[in-house]
Amino acid sequence: MLRRLVACLLPAVLISVACADGNDGRLDIYFIDVEGGAATLLVSPAGESILIDSGYPDNHGRDRDRIIDVARNVAGLSRIDHALVSHWHRDHYGNHAALAAAFGIETFWDRGIPEMLSEDAQFEDRIAAYRAATQNASCKLKAGDQIPFQSADTPFSARVLAASRQVVPNDGPVNPYADRHTPRDVDPTDNAASLAVVFEFGNFRFLCCGDLTWNVEGQLVTPNNPVGTVDVYMVTHHGLPTSNNPALVLAVDPTVTVMCNGPTKGGAESTLRTLHEIKSLQDMYQLHQNVKLDAGAQAPPEFIANTSSTATCQGQWVKASVAKDGRSYTMQIGREGRVRTYQTRVHN
Ligand SMILES: [Zn+2]
């Protein structure tokens, strides 16, 4: 595996250098609004860029263009070095092929390509486009793999915690919230096979679990918690109630949450209730206001990036920017948004 990972990394030695923000030593994470899909862009101090998922296809290239706009005009990239696919649903790999053609992607990472996907009648066509874009050379990740990104002064790494329904060994301290996991019916969809990855930059930790669903979340953190605690948690599966098992969410105990929901997708009341229970939570951000839910149940208006309907939405992003030493980070909505500063916590 290691040899293959190294082979996967080799082309990325010729990394593109981020320049819009200057090479300021910070790790930047952009949560790009793709109307209820997911597209998260990390730019490391070494200038390496990592895009996790790529939003929906179609819609006149809406999500492709939003991703390129952030990558080129905000982050100052000239291409994507690493593109991950968390799982094989269209709101997560809808634009990998289009981005490879229009902007450039150096290395592709995924959980492995299944023969078929019963929940997607168009899977054959979609996956053919992906395979072509990757030249049949995407790198397959499994639970426990380290993705070997480059570090500058502060160590930067990523570890795969779950992939293809497998999770890392259940070591670590006892999870005090383990009894909050009540198993549900088995989820046969590809959501349950999502990649879950924890990124570390010095002491700062960011957890992104794609659309991982309830039972696998429970399996990951019961009875012990091998994940530890995190600073920023990307609310799983757009905030849908089939994910965000409290046994996981409360155990990782984030300071800040970011939910990549749409106006009518995700942001479920039960998920929001779980988020409100997090002991160390200071602020929760949403990419969208959930128009179907009472405002009082959601993040306060100043923490919601977009409030209009999809038809008129400007696609405002949320950004986390981690200080050079990893000891603090800021959160901001769009270029003009207020900058809020948080201290990286001491992780146990
Ligand atoms: Zn999704």
Side-chain angles (χ1 to χ4, degrees):
M1 186 67 192
L2 186 63
R3 278 177 64 182
R4 195 159 55 76
L5 286 180
V6 170
C8 280
L9 187 68
L10 278 178
V13 171
L14 297 166
I15 53 173
S16 55
V17 175
C19 58
D21 289 346
N23 200 348
D24 56 6
R26 301 179 77 93
L27 170 69
D28 292 331
I29 308 172
Y30 299 92
F31 301 89
I32 301 168
D33 177 33
V34 286
E35 306 291 329
T40 309
L41 176 67
L42 290 82
V43 184
S44 82
E48 229 172 353
S49 53
I50 304 139
L51 178 70
I52 311 166
D53 295 333
S54 62
Y56 285 99
D58 312 322
N59 306 305
H60 307 289
R62 177 196 69 202
D63 295 354
R64 176 202 62 201
D65 293 348
R66 286 185 184 180
I67 293 165
I68 292 175
D69 179 53
V70 173
R72 179 181 285 148
N73 302 327
V74 186
L77 302 173
S78 55
R79 69 165 183 200
I80 303 292
D81 296 311
H82 305 273
L84 273 73
V85 178
S86 68
H87 66 295
W88 302 111
H89 284 165
R90 61 195 284 270
D91 56 323
H92 293 260
Y93 79 112
N95 291 291
H96 276 69
L99 285 168
F103 193 62
I105 294 174
E106 188 62 41
T107 308
F108 294 82
W109 304 81
D110 55 52
R111 69 167 197 83
I113 299 174
E115 289 297 309
M116 55 169 290
L117 197 69
S118 56
E119 65 259 39
D120 182 2
Q122 292 177 53
F123 181 69
E124 211 174 310
D125 292 340
R126 294 191 213 284
I127 208 67
Y130 178 81
R131 280 187 196 279
T134 66
Q135 301 177 323
N136 278 322
S138 66
C139 302
K140 179 178 171 178
L141 292 165
K142 60 178 176 40
D145 282 346
Q146 292 274 351
I147 312 176
F149 299 126
Q150 298 189 14
S151 294
D153 295 341
T154 300
F156 176 52
S157 66
R159 182 176 182 227
V160 180
L161 301 170
S164 301
R165 297 178 168 76
Q166 304 296 311
V167 297
V168 292
N170 188 250
D171 49 19
V174 170
N175 177 1
Y177 301 98
D179 63 357
R180 297 291 298 274
H181 172 55
T182 23
R184 293 181 177 176
D185 290 344
V186 171
D187 173 10
T189 73
D190 211 54
N191 291 325
S194 286
L195 293 174
V197 183
V198 62
F199 293 86
E200 300 196 352
F201 180 63
N203 284 338
F204 174 87
R205 306 187 81 223
F206 165 53
L207 179 61
C208 177
C209 298
D211 285 358
L212 197 68
T213 41
W214 196 270
N215 287 353
V216 185
E217 292 178 309
Q219 196 189 333
L220 177 62
V221 292
T222 57
N224 302 313
N225 174 11
V227 183
T229 51
V230 303
D231 295 287
V232 176
Y233 170 64
M234 185 172 126
V235 179
T236 303
H237 203 179
H238 324 287
L240 283 160
T242 45
S243 302
N244 300 293
N245 187 329
L248 172 66
V249 177
L250 303 181
V252 299
D253 193 30
T255 307
V256 168
T257 61
V258 182
M259 184 152 62
C260 301
N261 62 323
T264 58
K265 179 180 172 186
E269 196 166 8
S270 62
T271 300
L272 287 157
R273 267 201 310 273
T274 302
L275 299 183
H276 281 296
E277 262 193 80
I278 297 170
K279 211 168 71 186
S280 297
L281 185 75
Q282 288 181 26
D283 288 317
M284 45 198 271
Y285 290 77
Q286 291 174 214
L287 281 185
H288 267 273
Q289 185 175 42
N290 178 344
V291 299
K292 297 187 291 191
L293 193 63
D294 191 59
Q298 307 187 45
E302 64 266 34
F303 295 93
I304 297 180
N306 299 286
T307 52
S308 55
S309 70
T310 289
T312 57
C313 183
Q314 296 300 304
Q316 195 81 272
W317 39 264
V318 171
K319 177 185 180 183
S321 180
V322 190
K324 194 175 178 177
D325 59 7
R327 290 186 183 164
S328 65
Y329 54 102
T330 59
M331 298 292 302
Q332 185 176 12
I333 296 176
R335 287 178 187 274
E336 310 299 326
R338 180 176 152 191
V339 177
R340 295 179 170 84
T341 303
Y342 305 83
Q343 297 308 307
T344 298
R345 55 181 302 184
V346 176
H347 296 286
N348 43 40

